[in-house]
Coordinates of all heavy atoms in Angstrom, one line a residue:
M1 N 102.2 101.0 165.7 CA 102.5 101.5 164.4 C 102.4 100.3 163.4 O 102.7 99.1 163.7 CB 104.1 101.8 164.5 CG 104.5 102.5 163.2 SD 106.1 103.1 163.4 CE 106.0 104.8 163.6
S2 N 101.9 100.6 162.2 CA 101.6 99.5 161.2 C 102.9 99.5 160.3 O 103.7 100.4 160.1 CB 100.4 99.9 160.3 OG 100.7 101.0 159.6
T3 N 103.0 98.2 159.7 CA 104.1 97.9 158.8 C 103.7 98.2 157.3 O 102.5 98.0 157.0 CB 104.7 96.6 159.0 OG1 103.6 95.6 158.7 CG2 105.1 96.3 160.4
A4 N 104.6 98.5 156.4 CA 104.2 98.6 155.1 C 103.8 97.2 154.5 O 104.4 96.2 154.8 CB 105.5 99.1 154.3
P5 N 102.9 97.3 153.6 CA 102.4 96.0 153.0 C 103.5 95.4 152.1 O 104.3 96.1 151.6 CB 101.2 96.4 152.1 CG 101.4 97.9 151.9 CD 102.1 98.5 153.1
T6 N 103.6 94.2 152.1 CA 104.6 93.4 151.2 C 104.2 93.6 149.8 O 103.1 93.4 149.3 CB 104.4 91.9 151.6 OG1 104.5 91.6 153.0 CG2 105.6 91.1 150.9
P7 N 105.3 94.0 149.0 CA 104.9 94.3 147.6 C 104.7 93.1 146.8 O 105.1 91.9 147.1 CB 106.2 94.9 147.0 CG 107.2 94.5 148.0 CD 106.6 94.3 149.3
E8 N 103.7 93.1 145.9 CA 103.3 91.9 145.1 C 104.4 91.7 144.1 O 105.2 92.6 143.7 CB 102.1 92.3 144.2 CG 100.9 92.6 145.0 CD 100.2 91.3 145.6 OE1 100.4 90.3 145.0 OE2 99.7 91.4 146.7
P9 N 104.7 90.4 143.9 CA 105.9 90.1 142.9 C 105.4 90.6 141.6 O 104.3 90.4 141.1 CB 105.8 88.5 142.9 CG 104.6 88.1 143.6 CD 104.1 89.2 144.4
R10 N 106.3 91.1 140.8 CA 106.1 91.6 139.5 C 106.2 90.6 138.4 O 106.9 89.6 138.5 CB 107.0 92.8 139.1 CG 106.8 94.0 139.9 CD 107.7 95.0 139.4 NE 107.6 96.3 140.2 CZ 108.4 97.4 140.1 NH1 109.4 97.3 139.2 NH2 108.2 98.5 140.7
A11 N 105.3 90.7 137.3 CA 105.4 89.8 136.3 C 106.8 90.0 135.4 O 107.2 91.3 135.3 CB 104.3 89.9 135.3
P12 N 107.5 89.1 135.0 CA 108.7 89.3 134.4 C 108.6 90.1 133.1 O 107.5 89.9 132.3 CB 109.3 87.8 134.1 CG 108.0 87.0 134.1 CD 107.1 87.6 135.1
K13 N 109.5 90.8 132.6 CA 109.4 91.6 131.5 C 109.5 90.7 130.3 O 110.3 89.7 130.4 CB 110.4 92.7 131.4 CG 110.2 93.8 132.4 CD 111.3 94.9 132.3 CE 111.1 96.0 133.2 NZ 112.1 97.0 133.0
P14 N 108.9 90.9 129.2 CA 109.1 90.1 128.0 C 110.5 90.2 127.5 O 111.1 91.3 127.6 CB 108.1 90.6 126.9 CG 107.5 91.8 127.5 CD 107.9 92.0 129.0
A15 N 111.0 89.0 127.1 CA 112.4 89.0 126.6 C 112.5 89.7 125.2 O 111.5 89.6 124.4 CB 112.9 87.6 126.5
L16 N 113.6 90.3 125.0 CA 113.9 91.0 123.7 C 114.4 89.8 122.8 O 115.3 89.1 123.1 CB 114.9 92.0 123.8 CG 114.6 93.3 124.6 CD1 115.6 94.2 124.8 CD2 113.3 93.9 124.0
I17 N 113.9 89.9 121.6 CA 114.3 88.8 120.5 C 115.0 89.6 119.5 O 114.5 90.4 118.8 CB 113.1 88.1 120.0 CG1 112.3 87.5 121.1 CG2 113.4 87.1 118.9 CD1 111.0 86.8 120.8
F18 N 116.2 89.2 119.2 CA 117.0 89.8 118.3 C 117.1 88.9 116.9 O 118.2 89.0 116.3 CB 118.4 90.3 118.8 CG 118.3 91.2 119.8 CD1 118.5 90.8 121.3 CD2 118.2 92.5 119.6 CE1 118.4 91.7 122.3 CE2 118.2 93.5 120.6 CZ 118.2 93.1 121.9
D19 N 116.2 88.2 116.7 CA 116.2 87.4 115.3 C 116.1 88.3 114.2 O 115.6 89.5 114.2 CB 115.1 86.4 115.3 CG 115.2 85.4 116.3 OD1 116.3 85.1 116.8 OD2 114.2 84.6 116.6
D20 N 116.5 87.8 113.0 CA 116.4 88.7 111.7 C 114.8 88.6 111.3 O 114.4 87.5 111.0 CB 117.2 88.0 110.8 CG 117.2 88.9 109.4 OD1 116.6 89.9 109.4 OD2 117.8 88.5 108.5
P21 N 114.1 89.6 111.3 CA 112.7 89.6 110.9 C 112.5 89.2 109.5 O 111.4 88.7 109.1 CB 112.3 91.0 111.2 CG 113.5 91.9 111.2 CD 114.5 91.0 111.6
L22 N 113.6 89.3 108.6 CA 113.4 88.9 107.2 C 113.4 87.4 107.0 O 113.0 86.8 106.0 CB 114.4 89.6 106.3 CG 114.3 91.1 106.4 CD1 115.5 91.7 105.5 CD2 113.0 91.7 105.9
D23 N 113.8 86.7 108.1 CA 113.8 85.2 107.9 C 112.4 84.6 108.2 O 112.2 83.5 108.0 CB 114.8 84.7 109.0 CG 116.2 84.8 108.6 OD1 116.5 85.2 107.5 OD2 117.1 84.8 109.5
Q24 N 111.6 85.4 108.7 CA 110.2 84.9 109.1 C 109.2 85.3 108.0 O 109.4 86.4 107.3 CB 109.8 85.5 110.4 CG 110.7 85.2 111.6 CD 110.3 86.0 112.7 OE1 109.3 86.8 112.8 NE2 111.1 85.9 113.8
Q25 N 108.2 84.4 107.7 CA 107.3 84.7 106.7 C 106.2 85.5 107.3 O 105.7 85.3 108.4 CB 106.6 83.3 106.3 CG 105.6 83.5 105.1 CD 105.1 82.2 104.6 OE1 105.0 81.2 105.4 NE2 104.8 82.2 103.3
S26 N 105.9 86.6 106.6 CA 104.9 87.6 107.0 C 103.5 87.1 106.4 O 103.5 86.4 105.5 CB 105.2 89.0 106.6 OG 105.1 89.1 105.2
P27 N 102.3 87.6 107.0 CA 101.0 87.4 106.4 C 101.0 87.8 104.9 O 100.2 87.2 104.3 CB 100.0 88.0 107.3 CG 100.8 88.3 108.5 CD 102.3 88.4 108.3
D28 N 101.7 88.8 104.6 CA 101.6 89.2 103.1 C 102.3 88.4 102.2 O 102.1 88.4 101.0 CB 102.3 90.6 103.1 CG 101.4 91.8 103.7 OD1 100.2 91.5 104.0 OD2 102.0 92.8 104.0
D29 N 103.1 87.3 102.7 CA 103.8 86.5 101.8 C 103.0 85.3 101.4 O 103.5 84.4 100.7 CB 105.1 86.0 102.6 CG 106.2 87.0 102.8 OD1 106.1 88.0 102.0 OD2 106.9 86.9 103.6
T30 N 101.8 85.2 101.9 CA 100.9 84.0 101.6 C 99.7 84.6 100.8 O 99.5 85.8 100.7 CB 100.4 83.5 102.9 OG1 99.6 84.4 103.5 CG2 101.4 82.9 103.8
D31 N 99.0 83.7 100.1 CA 97.9 84.0 99.4 C 96.6 84.1 100.1 O 95.6 84.6 99.7 CB 97.6 82.8 98.3 CG 98.6 82.9 97.3 OD1 99.2 84.0 97.0 OD2 98.8 81.8 96.6
R32 N 96.7 83.9 101.5 CA 95.5 84.0 102.3 C 95.1 85.5 102.5 O 96.0 86.3 102.7 CB 95.7 83.4 103.7 CG 95.9 81.9 103.7 CD 95.9 81.4 105.0 NE 94.7 81.7 105.7 CZ 94.3 81.2 106.8 NH1 95.1 80.3 107.4 NH2 93.3 81.6 107.4
G33 N 93.8 85.8 102.3 CA 93.3 87.2 102.5 C 93.5 88.1 101.4 O 93.3 89.3 101.5
W34 N 93.9 87.5 100.2 CA 94.1 88.4 99.0 C 92.9 88.2 97.9 O 93.0 88.2 96.9 CB 95.4 88.0 98.3 CG 96.6 88.6 99.0 CD1 97.3 87.9 100.0 CD2 97.2 89.9 98.9 NE1 98.2 88.7 100.5 CE2 98.2 89.9 99.9 CE3 96.9 91.0 98.2 CZ2 99.0 91.1 99.9 CZ3 97.7 92.0 98.2 CH2 98.7 92.1 99.2
G35 N 91.7 87.9 98.6 CA 90.6 87.8 97.6 C 90.3 86.5 97.2 O 89.4 86.2 96.3
E36 N 91.2 85.5 97.5 CA 90.9 84.1 97.1 C 89.6 83.5 97.7 O 89.4 83.7 99.0 CB 92.1 83.3 97.4 CG 93.4 83.6 96.7 CD 93.2 83.4 95.2 OE1 92.7 82.4 94.7 OE2 93.8 84.3 94.4
R37 N 88.9 82.9 97.0 CA 87.7 82.1 97.4 C 88.1 80.8 97.7 O 89.0 80.2 97.1 CB 86.6 82.2 96.4 CG 86.1 83.6 96.1 CD 85.1 83.6 95.0 NE 84.7 85.0 94.7 CZ 83.8 85.3 93.9 NH1 83.1 84.4 93.2 NH2 83.5 86.4 93.6
P38 N 87.3 80.2 98.7 CA 87.5 78.7 99.0 C 87.3 77.9 97.7 O 86.5 78.2 97.0 CB 86.6 78.4 100.0 CG 85.9 79.5 100.5 CD 86.3 80.6 99.5
R39 N 88.2 76.9 97.4 CA 88.2 76.2 96.2 C 87.0 75.2 96.3 O 86.9 74.4 97.2 CB 89.6 75.3 96.0 CG 89.5 74.5 94.9 CD 90.8 74.5 94.1 NE 90.8 73.6 93.1 CZ 90.4 73.9 91.8 NH1 89.9 75.1 91.4 NH2 90.5 73.0 90.8
A40 N 86.2 75.2 95.3 CA 85.1 74.2 95.0 C 85.8 73.1 94.4 O 86.3 73.3 93.2 CB 83.9 74.9 94.3
D41 N 85.5 71.9 94.8 CA 86.2 70.8 94.2 C 85.5 70.4 92.8 O 84.5 69.6 92.8 CB 86.1 69.5 95.1 CG 86.8 69.8 96.4 OD1 87.9 70.4 96.3 OD2 86.4 69.2 97.4
G42 N 86.1 71.0 91.8 CA 85.7 70.6 90.4 C 84.3 71.0 90.1 O 83.5 70.5 89.2
D43 N 83.7 72.0 90.8 CA 82.4 72.5 90.5 C 82.3 73.5 89.3 O 82.9 74.7 89.5 CB 81.8 73.1 91.7 CG 80.3 73.5 91.5 OD1 79.7 73.1 90.5 OD2 79.8 74.2 92.5
S44 N 82.0 73.1 88.1 CA 82.2 73.9 86.9 C 81.2 75.1 87.1 O 81.5 76.2 86.5 CB 81.9 73.1 85.7 OG 80.6 72.6 85.6
A45 N 80.1 74.9 87.7 CA 79.0 76.0 87.8 C 79.6 77.1 88.7 O 79.5 78.3 88.4 CB 77.8 75.5 88.4
A46 N 80.4 76.7 89.7 CA 80.9 77.7 90.6 C 82.1 78.5 89.8 O 82.3 79.6 90.0 CB 81.5 77.1 91.8
D47 N 82.8 77.7 89.1 CA 83.9 78.4 88.2 C 83.3 79.4 87.2 O 83.9 80.5 87.1 CB 84.6 77.3 87.4 CG 85.6 76.5 88.4 OD1 85.8 76.8 89.5 OD2 85.9 75.3 87.9
L48 N 82.1 79.0 86.6 CA 81.6 79.9 85.7 C 81.0 81.2 86.4 O 81.2 82.2 85.9 CB 80.4 79.2 84.9 CG 79.6 80.1 83.8 CD1 80.6 80.6 82.8 CD2 78.5 79.4 83.4
K49 N 80.5 80.9 87.5 CA 80.0 82.1 88.3 C 81.1 83.1 88.7 O 80.9 84.3 88.5 CB 79.2 81.7 89.5 CG 78.6 82.8 90.4 CD 77.8 82.3 91.6 CE 77.2 83.4 92.4 NZ 77.8 84.8 92.3
R50 N 82.3 82.5 89.1 CA 83.4 83.3 89.5 C 83.9 84.1 88.3 O 84.3 85.2 88.3 CB 84.4 82.5 90.1 CG 85.7 83.2 90.4 CD 86.7 82.4 91.1 NE 88.0 83.3 91.4 CZ 89.0 82.9 91.8 NH1 89.2 81.6 92.1 NH2 90.0 83.7 92.1
F51 N 83.9 83.3 87.1 CA 84.4 84.0 85.8 C 83.6 85.1 85.5 O 84.0 86.2 85.2 CB 84.4 82.9 84.8 CG 84.7 83.6 83.4 CD1 86.0 84.0 83.1 CD2 83.8 83.7 82.4 CE1 86.3 84.6 81.9 CE2 84.0 84.4 81.3 CZ 85.3 84.8 80.9
L52 N 82.2 84.9 85.6 CA 81.3 86.0 85.2 C 81.3 87.2 86.2 O 81.3 88.4 85.9 CB 79.9 85.4 85.0 CG 79.7 84.5 84.0 CD1 78.3 83.9 84.0 CD2 80.0 85.1 82.6
D53 N 81.6 86.9 87.5 CA 81.7 87.9 88.5 C 82.9 88.7 88.4 O 82.9 89.9 88.6 CB 81.6 87.3 90.0 CG 80.3 86.8 90.4 OD1 79.3 87.2 89.7 OD2 80.3 86.1 91.3
E54 N 84.0 88.2 88.0 CA 85.2 88.9 87.9 C 85.6 89.5 86.5 O 86.6 90.0 86.3 CB 86.4 87.9 88.3 CG 86.3 87.5 89.8 CD 87.4 86.6 90.3 OE1 88.3 86.2 89.5 OE2 87.4 86.3 91.4
K55 N 84.7 89.2 85.6 CA 84.9 89.6 84.2 C 84.7 91.2 84.2 O 83.7 91.7 84.7 CB 83.9 89.1 83.2 CG 84.1 89.3 81.8 CD 83.2 88.5 80.8 CE 81.8 88.6 81.3 NZ 80.9 88.1 80.2
P56 N 85.7 91.9 83.5 CA 85.5 93.4 83.3 C 84.4 93.7 82.6 O 83.9 93.1 81.7 CB 86.9 93.9 82.8 CG 87.7 92.7 82.9 CD 86.9 91.5 82.9
P57 N 83.8 94.9 82.9 CA 82.5 95.3 82.2 C 82.8 95.5 80.7 O 81.8 95.3 79.9 CB 82.1 96.6 82.8 CG 83.3 97.0 83.7 CD 84.2 95.8 83.8
H58 N 83.9 95.8 80.1 CA 84.1 95.9 78.8 C 84.1 94.6 78.0 O 84.3 94.6 76.8 CB 85.3 96.8 78.4 CG 86.6 96.2 78.9 ND1 87.1 96.4 80.2 CD2 87.6 95.5 78.3 CE1 88.2 95.7 80.4 NE2 88.5 95.2 79.2
H59 N 84.1 93.4 78.8 CA 84.0 92.1 78.1 C 82.8 91.5 78.0 O 82.6 90.3 77.8 CB 85.0 91.2 78.8 CG 86.5 91.5 78.6 ND1 87.5 90.9 79.2 CD2 87.1 92.5 77.7 CE1 88.7 91.3 78.7 NE2 88.5 92.3 77.9
I60 N 81.6 92.3 78.1 CA 80.4 91.8 78.1 C 80.0 91.5 76.7 O 80.3 92.0 75.8 CB 79.4 92.8 78.8 CG1 79.7 92.9 80.2 CG2 77.9 92.3 78.5 CD1 78.7 93.8 81.0

């Protein structure tokens, strides 16, 4: 007669964290990803190009 195979050890369940979620900074609280371009160090040509790109059409 054969014996039952030994069960594999289970991975521990992740712990529940009961911290206040409002104490943590969310990605929406930062300026990253809100259309900001990388800053060019004092490049006035890049500043002018950005100004012209973002100017509304009624300001032409």
